[in-house]
Amino acid sequence: DVKVTQSSRYLVKRTGEKVFLECVQDMDHENMFWYRQDPGLGLRLIYFSYDVKMKEKGDIPEGYSVSREKKERFSLILESASTNQTSMYLCASREWDARKTQYFGPGTRLLVL
Amino acid sequence: QQQVKQSPQSLIVQKGGISIINCAYENTAFDYFPWYQQFPGKGPALLIAIRPDVSEKKEGRFTISFNKSAKQFSLHIMDSQPGDSATYFCAAGMKGYQKVTFGTGTKLQVIP
């Protein structure tokens, strides 16, 4: 059974803290994605990676960075957390072809105080 | 041009009724149209998908209807059940373009 796991289900951080969200997939997928989900705004792509050490900006990259040192692991970093980054964060992975199924993790609900 | 517009934002349907969610796209290069289903506390999961070479695809109670000329596609849930209560996302993708574009989601509630 395919699996995408995220390091935390819930996180509470303070404004200005550096936050790391980690995602691991066990399907040997080339592509990995970070989305944030907010009511009424759907799934917005933050960053994605198509190979180790390769990354591309999504639609809302400001305030975020990513790291992919190993194929199975993709990290999202909030350099200095702000209250407007309070959200649900979803990681996903997929084979190279965009017409294949995208597999999502369970999400991390982040609250920045 | 990469947008996918989804409606309605929320939907309440009686048990046994038909739920209909609509999506429209602009980019005619899209050639893959999946629907994802998300239950509370879970990540989205693929429900059903269609390629533009067919006008309809059915899997159980779920049907995608595709209108290439109108650049629209829709999800029909027949005999809707309370267990179908979830958020549904349409999406569009194309060969050679790594990003899949998602709609804004529809929160469906099926009441007994």
Side-chain angles (χ1 to χ4, degrees), chain B residues 21-77:
Chain B
I21 305 170
N22 300 301
C23 285
Y25 63 97
E26 296 170 0
N27 191 339
T28 55
F30 285 135
D31 62 357
Y32 174 67
F33 302 92
W35 285 89
Y36 283 79
Q37 180 188 53
Q38 182 183 28
F39 293 108
K42 305 279 189 184
L46 180 69
L47 178 65
I48 187 173
I50 196 168
R51 299 277 180 109
D53 51 345
V54 296
S55 59
E56 188 175 281
K57 184 173 181 180
K58 187 175 180 179
E59 287 185 4
R61 296 183 293 107
F62 299 90
T63 300
I64 300 178
S65 297
F66 183 78
N67 185 330
K68 192 172 181 178
S69 60
K71 293 187 283 186
Q72 294 175 349
F73 58 109
S74 58
L75 177 69
H76 291 64
I77 307 174

